[in-house]
Every structure is written in C-alpha cells, then in structure tokens.
Amino acid sequence: MSAEVWTWIIVLATFALYLGIGYWARVRETAGFYVAGRGVPPIANGAATAADWMSAASFISMAGLISFLGYDGAVYLMGWTGGYVLLALLLAPYLRKYGKYTVPEFVGDRYYSNLARVVAVIAAIFVSFTYAVPQLRGVGIVLSRYLGVDVATGVWAAVIVTAFIAVIGGMKGITWTQVAQYTVLIIAYLIIGIALSNLLTGNPIPQLAFTFSDFAVRLSELQVELGFKEYVAPFQNLSALNVFLITLTLMVGTAGLPHVIIRFYTVPKASDARWSAGWALLFIGLLYTTAPAVAVFSKYNLLTTLANKPIEEVRQIDWVQKWEQTGLLKLQDKNGDGILQMSGNPQVNEVTIDQDIIVLSTPEVAKLSPFIVGLVAAGGMAAALSTAAGLLIVIASAISHDLYTRLINPQASEATKLLIARVIIFLVVVLAAPFGINPPAFIAQLVAFAFGLAASTFFPAILLGIFDRRMNMQGAVAGMIVGLVFTATYIIGTSYLGWPNFIFGITAEGIGTIGMLLNLVVAYLISRATPPPPEEIQHLVDDIRIPKGSAGSALEH
C-alpha cells in the first residue's frame, strides 16, 4: 500500500483511539475536569507530562531547527531539557503540596490579591494561546501532505479532535489520551532515528552512531562546499550572547509553563510529583537524545539527494512532487542551467525548504517503508494534539475557575462551572484556528515566544512565592506586569513591526531572560518598599517547603 493509504489507516485509527479514550474518561465534576481527580499514577503522569510538554515543536520542528542552525541549534536541547529539570526539582513538589487547581489560583492566593489573580490569568491566556497556535499548524502540515487536504482543512480537523477530548473528558480524558499519544509519538520518532542511523552508519543506536561517527563533520564539510555556514562551528547563526540568553529563556520558561505545572496537580501527593517528574524526564530524554542524530542524518540525506542534481530528475521523485504541492518545498532554476543549486547564498540557492518538514519528509527521503511514513505522520499529530489539549485546559480553567468562580459567581454549581469551562475551550480552539492556518512564524519560533512570556511572568512569581516569605502582593503584581509588557512589546516589535534588536542585539527568542530579570528586580524592590504580607501568608510559605505532611496540602481547596 502507498504511504497515503497507510497514513489514512493509522491516522484514523489513532484519532478513533483518542476519541474513545476521551469518551471513556468523560467527567461530571470540576476536580476531574481540572486535575483528573488527583488520582493519576506517577508513571502515567510522567508519560502524559512528556506528551504534554513535547509539542509539535519537539517532534516536527526541533530537528529541523538543529539541521539549519547546526551547533547553535543546541539551545533548544539545552534549554528545554534543562528547564524541565529546573521545574521538577525547584517548583513542582511545592506547588503540588499547595494543593490548588491552577497557577493563577496559586498566584492569587499566595499574594492574597484578586488583582494578582487577574494578571496571572491574562498571562496564562497569553502564553497558552501563543503556544496552542503552532500545535494546530503542525497537524495542518501533516494532513496537508499525507492526506491530500489543504492546511486549513488539517487545522480544522485538529480543532474537532482536540475540542472533543478536552470538552468531554477535561484533564482526566486528556491525561489518558496523552499516555496513548506519547506511545505513538515516541515509537514513530525512535523508528526514524534507528532507521536513519542503521542506513547511514550501520549502527542502529542513533545516540551512539551520532557520537562515535564523523557524520557531523562530514555534513559540515558538505555544507561549506555548497556555500553554507560550517555546521559544527559555534555562533555561526546566533551570537554567544543570544545562545546563552535563548537557552536560559527556554529553561526558566519551561519552569513557568502553566500547562506543564498543572500536570503535577493531578497526582495523589507531593512525593508522587517528584516520581512523575523523574519518569517524565526519562520519557523526554528518549526523544531529546535522538533529535541531534535525526537532525544531522536528515540534513545530510537531503543535501546529497537534491544538491547539484538535474532539476527535472529531482522533480520526478515522488516525495518531492508531493511536498511541492503543499508549498512547503519550492524548486526554482534561477540560472536556467537545469542543475539544482543548493547554497547558503540566497541569490544562488534554488531550493526553499520549510524547516517544519525536515522530520516529516525524512522517511520518504530515506526510502523507508510506507507504513513508517504513516506512523511518523501520526506521531507528529500526536505530539501536537497532546500539547494543544493541555493548553486548552489551562485557558478554560483560568477563565472559568479563576475568574468566573472565584470573582464573579462563587456560588456557581458544578454543572454551571463545567458548562462555562467547556464553552471556553470550544471558543478558544475555534479562535486559534485562523492563526494556525496563517501563522506569523515557524512552529518552533512561536513556541519559543510562548516560553519567553512564561519566563518573564510566571517563573519569578512562582519562585519568589515559594522561597521568599517577604514577597508581597504589590511586588508580585508589579513584577508580572513589567515582565509581560516588556517581553511582549519587544517580541512583537522586533518580529513583526520591523524594529531592530536594539538591546545588545538580543533576539525575540532570548528576550524572555531580560523580562524575567526585570520582573525579579521590580518585584524585590517594591516588596521591600511596601508592607510585608500577612502573618498567615508567611506561615503558609514556610509550610509549603516543609516535607512533612506532603500527602495533604498546605491549603486545602
């Protein structure tokens, strides 16, 4: 059977599985909707967390970015994995012990302020919406290539599946769906890595083949020969300052992501939060240690397949024809010599490749079986759908639980609260669809922007809320506002309004670190210049950090 037929079969089978799990795990109470009833075993929560966190950027875009950026692309590996360790060790267990439903709820209660709660809700919506858009885009790209539909149709298919799971099952349905989605995505990704590694080096273990072979050097030499920048040399695409700042932004942004933090609220007790974090790190590491090998092998395979070949011969290749139809691969014989030139000089280069198709096209470029092609397509969609669902829960809980229930109608019934949450999910995913169809940046760039916003808002507020008993409402609110406004303004201005990178050449992907530092400084100074928090809040902060009694919560909901 063809790759398209296999893709139809596997995609429909996985969609049916996700919808079935969502229906099986449907909930009728807010505890199940927001935090899965706090009954998820650590190993299952680890798999769900890995799927929630490894988005379309991890599966679809990261290897493509490393392929194009070379050494500098390591910022994504170091930032995202390092950030998860930071979250697991520094924040997650304490937040679980606190025993609430959402990050805005922690912020509002810890800083004894509805204003702080509202600011946190705005930040959560901002971060989560920015992050959700590229997930829908990822599904659209997959379906546009393998099922023969346009990107818009693919995005709307993602909307339908994600909305159903999130609306019916809430966090409980999402959790068990994410366990299945992690299984699909990791099998697909490892198959790519193992197949490429064995094909090009004879070693089926991609991590070992990448480490102990000269493939990265060979790719570097090939790129220099074609006029590209040297692959293994540092700071060819990013300055040393930007490499450092982007890495740090991704680290602290990871530690401040609401949809990842909320996963640690779903386990029975604080010690389970640590165990689930350990399992998640293992599950995440399987993909992240494979990604550099996939990036190098894929780029080498692509260059040797296309560069300096007769253009008409290349256009006869089946996968080239199909990716050209999507508009994500473009061939143009600029000098009319009939030979396809690939070069780092844009005036000479005749091949335009969307970075987001590197992983998805690799099975066909490597001439793997059609079944693997379909499995990889399903893996990419699993990564995107799992993260999109988690983000929708964050937005829905922020609006329905933290705004409506806590500020507008505290006496609302369970049915009313669930209805509002479900309506919010539907509205948000429909609103995100047009942005997924016409995104303002590459998938991984949009995700990096979301991490920057999380770094400059939530990370300082949570960190200081746990470890600084003197931090008060005035300092936290001022810090979050300054961090959010500064970072969002710089990102929008430099990315879309034509502003130069006027702060020491720092790119939009790395500015979150500066926003975080501004947040910390403003929060600290204002908190010391204003009255301390009430005694009961200071005692609460002390209690959160005490290991004893972790099976319960510092402040029961």
Side-chain angles (χ1 to χ4, degrees), residues 294-370:
V294 170
V296 170
F297 296 152
S298 298
K299 184 71 173 293
Y300 185 87
N301 227 12
L302 200 63
L303 291 179
T304 54
T305 300
L306 300 180
N308 298 323
K309 300 293 176 62
I311 190 168
E312 292 306 318
E313 178 183 311
V314 170
R315 281 208 164 109
Q316 297 306 309
I317 301 174
D318 184 61
W319 68 266
V320 172
Q321 294 177 358
K322 291 171 179 174
W323 278 110
E324 270 199 291
Q325 291 172 7
T326 68
L328 301 174
L329 172 66
K330 298 177 183 177
L331 309 180
Q332 181 183 7
D333 189 6
K334 293 180 180 179
N335 59 11
D337 66 351
I339 302 297
L340 200 58
Q341 310 290 327
M342 293 187 73
S343 172
N345 183 347
Q347 303 301 319
V348 176
N349 184 56
E350 298 176 338
V351 181
T352 303
I353 303 173
D354 191 303
Q355 296 175 8
D356 291 336
I357 75 170
I358 293 296
V359 169
L360 296 176
S361 66
T362 290
E364 293 174 295
V365 178
K367 300 179 181 178
L368 303 181
S369 75

Side-chain angles (χ1 to χ4, degrees), residues 96-155:
R96 173 59 191 91
K97 187 182 178 186
Y98 189 66
K100 294 292 184 171
Y101 284 165
T102 68
V103 174
E105 187 171 24
F106 169 80
V107 172
D109 289 355
R110 163 59 182 86
Y111 295 114
Y112 51 97
S113 165
N114 285 332
L115 177 59
R117 189 188 310 276
V118 171
V119 172
V121 166
I122 293 171
I125 294 172
F126 214 128
V127 170
S128 300
F129 190 84
T130 304
Y131 205 172
V133 167
Q135 312 314 317
L136 301 179
R137 172 68 174 177
V139 176
I141 289 174
V142 174
L143 294 183
S144 70
R145 161 60 187 89
Y146 292 109
L147 300 188
V149 301
D150 58 29
V151 171
T153 302
V155 168

Side-chain angles (χ1 to χ4, degrees), residues 282-295:
L282 172 64
F283 295 142
I284 290 167
L286 288 175
L287 188 145
Y288 270 66
T289 56
T290 306
V294 170

Side-chain angles (χ1 to χ4, degrees), residues 190 193-194 197 203-211 289-290 293-294 297:
L190 289 178
I194 292 169
S197 178
N203 186 337
I205 303 175
Q207 293 87 345
L208 296 180
F210 174 72
T211 303
T289 56
T290 306
V294 170
F297 296 152

